[in-house]
Amino acid sequence: MTTRRTDHMAAAVSPFAQALETAAGTAALSPSSHNCQPWGLGRATSTTARRAAADLTGADADEYLVLALDRERELTALAAHAVEMEVSCGVYWRILLRTLAAQGWTTAAVRVLDGDADPGAAGLPGGRPFGAGWPTAWTPLCVVALRPGPLSGERPADLHESALARRTHRGPYGREPVAPGLLRDLEEPATPGATAHPVHLRHLTEQRDLRAFAAFVARHAGRDFGHRAAWRETHSFVRRDTADATARGDGFTLEQLFGPMSRPRRAAMRLALAPTTMHLLGKVGYHRVLAAGLADVVRRTPAVVTMGFAGQAPTRAEQLEGGARLADYWWRATRHGLSLHPISIVLQHDDLRGRLERELSLPGRTFFVSRVGVAGSPAPRSHRRADAAVHVSF
């Protein structure tokens, strides 16, 4: 395959191995549901894999990458988790490609492996669509062909700095309204007109809307705490302490959920949140107490952002695009000093999500709801797996 690299580009474009290491290190800091980090990244290097990637993208390019869903890391307790996982992968993918573009590696072609885009169409074994080096637990989602090109104008260091600064902040936010001009800036896509899959974005800032959303959380957020399979899966990501979270490299600590606490309170919370205890306490309404506490935090938030797909049955391409839109929004919000706290609990049951869409007049299928504001204190950084920034060559 030919290399389209001019002398001018050679001086500006980072060698791909170096650019990929930088991009993967930044993308590894992406947010994901339960901090489960469900993505996998492969680089096509073998003749078989490169031929398959070229056939799928229709592009003769210098490099090919494949985004995957790691089935060993995905959430599965609820049907809605399938969307959350692909949106999470889309966030990671967007940050990876932005950081590559900042180093002069531009996208020549993209193929989302959805519907008729079956890797088996390339004539490869169904179990290993890209040859023997492809991990058996990975489902390929998207293939991109990359070539050297002009630098995007962003600085890789700035992208990494924002990724490090980004937090899921569950604590209290200042009550001061977020400036309307800032919200309008956040509503604008990073690349206007460049997507075939628009995302509906709306900010709730009027008191009546915020009160209605908080009331909805109070009435219905207990559903997830009381759902035995869903809570068992969520609890499996609650880490004993910072050392445990560091060793495992995923999930979240009790302090990340509830703020600083004494050792006795931490022990009491660990006992109360255990699945068996939660099931017993649910009989006396403990899940409603937790929902009321979450609603109180929501009620004192200056703004809530919602994002939705155009239709109720989003394709894989739309889900990945939703993740890209979320990545750009969160990145920009972080640069403006804002924090986010997703309230996914009201979206994870189809009947509740539909009711929320009707009560708040939200168009399409809502896939993201989050508090937005200025946090009163720094939040702990989410932990990452030791292999979060690596890729597989196949």
Side-chain angles (χ1 to χ4, degrees), residues 109-135:
V110 176
R111 180 72 176 273
V112 176
L113 304 180
D114 189 15
D116 63 337
D118 181 1
L124 300 172
R128 297 289 182 93
F130 293 103
W134 183 258

Side-chain angles (χ1 to χ4, degrees), residues 192-378:
T195 175
H197 308 292
V199 171
H200 296 299
L201 189 152
R202 181 183 168 194
H203 285 111
L204 309 179
T205 56
E206 297 292 335
Q207 282 302 308
R208 65 177 181 276
D209 290 333
L210 294 172
R211 284 195 297 268
F213 179 59
F216 189 92
V217 170
R219 291 197 308 272
H220 301 297
R223 169 86 70 89
D224 225 42
F225 295 119
H227 191 291
R228 297 190 71 174
W231 182 251
R232 189 178 299 111
E233 185 174 63
T234 296
H235 187 265
S236 71
F237 284 91
V238 177
R239 303 299 171 229
R240 182 177 63 254
D241 50 30
T242 301
D244 184 34
T246 301
R248 292 174 180 256
D250 61 8
F252 34 74
T253 64
L254 290 175
E255 283 78 5
Q256 287 175 298
L257 291 173
F258 302 107
M261 60 182 68
S262 64
R263 184 173 297 178
R265 184 178 176 226
R266 186 189 302 119
M269 289 298 295
R270 283 180 59 197
L271 176 62
L273 296 176
T276 300
T277 310
M278 182 70 81
H279 176 63
L280 294 173
L281 291 176
K283 297 179 182 300
V284 294
Y286 184 55
H287 58 289
R288 288 191 289 273
V289 174
L290 294 175
L294 178 58
D296 188 54
V297 172
V298 169
R299 193 174 292 110
R300 292 179 282 114
T301 296
V304 167
V305 62
T306 71
M307 296 186 190
F309 304 114
Q312 289 292 324
T315 63
R316 174 165 291 164
E318 290 173 310
Q319 292 174 57
L320 295 179
E321 186 61 41
R325 185 73 171 88
L326 175 54
D328 291 341
Y329 181 98
W330 210 323
W331 185 88
R332 195 180 296 177
T334 299
R335 299 293 290 178
H336 284 299
L338 297 174
S339 294
L340 272 69
H341 171 201
I343 313 294
S344 304
I345 203 165
V346 298
L347 302 177
Q348 292 179 338
H349 301 271
D350 286 343
D351 61 324
L352 294 187
R353 177 180 52 76
R355 191 175 303 174
L356 179 69
E357 291 164 353
R358 291 190 297 273
E359 290 190 13
L360 296 180
S361 300
L362 302 176
R365 186 198 192 279
T366 306
F367 69 87
F368 184 74
V369 178
S370 176
R371 299 166 59 218
V372 181
V374 178
S377 60

Side-chain angles (χ1 to χ4, degrees), residues 103-149:
Q103 299 171 89
W105 285 93
T106 61
T107 297
V110 176
R111 180 72 176 273
V112 176
L113 304 180
D114 189 15
D116 63 337
D118 181 1
L124 300 172
R128 297 289 182 93
F130 293 103
W134 183 258
T136 56
W138 286 13
T139 298
L141 305 179
C142 188
V143 186
V144 65
L146 297 155
R147 296 172 182 155

Side-chain angles (χ1 to χ4, degrees), residues 378-389:
R381 183 181 301 166
S382 297
H383 297 273
R384 286 295 178 269
R385 309 189 318 266
D387 61 350

